[in-house]
Amino acid sequence: QVQLQESGPGLVKPSQTLSLTCTASGASISNNDYYWSWIRQAPGKGLEWLGGIFFSGRIYYTPSLKNRTSISRDTSENRFTLQLSSVTPEATAVYYCARLPPTLRPDYWGQGTQVTVSS
């Protein structure tokens, strides 16, 4: 059984950095057979893939946010993080971490955490 759990502040001020952590259990994030990814869904919008750690350990980001996104992992704690800098209210969304097998369809999700960007 794989479980993923997001954690981090639920409120971020504009221009600040959004920082979230995903802690995994039942699977190792060192397993590069999967993409360990961050996905978000803004109100009224579809799912948006933000970035992930891929098979080779390389990290990829969605092009529109590449310059402001950072994903890293801490294998000793079996967790990986998302940092999104210079956020705007449009970043308000439910943020999920997820594991993607080679089908690129997530097989496990965290429950999601609401992040609101507001002053």
Side-chain angles (χ1 to χ4, degrees):
Q1 183 178 5
V2 178
Q3 292 183 314
L4 304 173
Q5 178 65 59
E6 304 90 348
S7 61
L11 179 64
V12 182
K13 293 185 180 298
S15 81
Q16 298 296 303
T17 296
L18 182 159
S19 183
L20 298 172
T21 297
C22 179
T23 301
S25 62
S28 173
I29 64 168
S30 298
N31 186 344
N32 289 329
D33 290 338
Y34 301 93
Y35 300 164
W36 301 91
S37 299
W38 287 97
I39 300 165
R40 71 179 180 184
Q41 186 168 33
K45 304 293 185 180
L47 296 170
E48 180 184 18
W49 181 80
L50 299 175
I53 305 168
F54 284 70
F55 302 135
S56 65
R58 293 160 60 186
I59 300 172
Y60 294 86
Y61 305 100
T62 192
S64 63
L65 298 172
K66 182 177 181 179
N67 292 340
R68 300 193 290 113
T69 307
S70 179
I71 294 172
S72 61
R73 60 181 174 182
D74 181 349
T75 57
S76 67
E77 299 291 338
N78 206 37
R79 62 191 183 192
F80 61 103
T81 64
L82 169 71
Q83 293 187 83
L84 180 62
S85 65
S86 302
V87 297
T88 67
E90 287 71 33
T92 294
V94 178
Y95 286 75
Y96 302 90
C97 55
R99 190 183 80 167
L100 279 62
T103 63
L104 303 182
R105 298 183 181 274
D107 58 358
Y108 290 96
W109 299 74
Q111 66 181 12
T113 186
Q114 173 71 44
V115 179
T116 299
V117 179
S118 176
S119 61

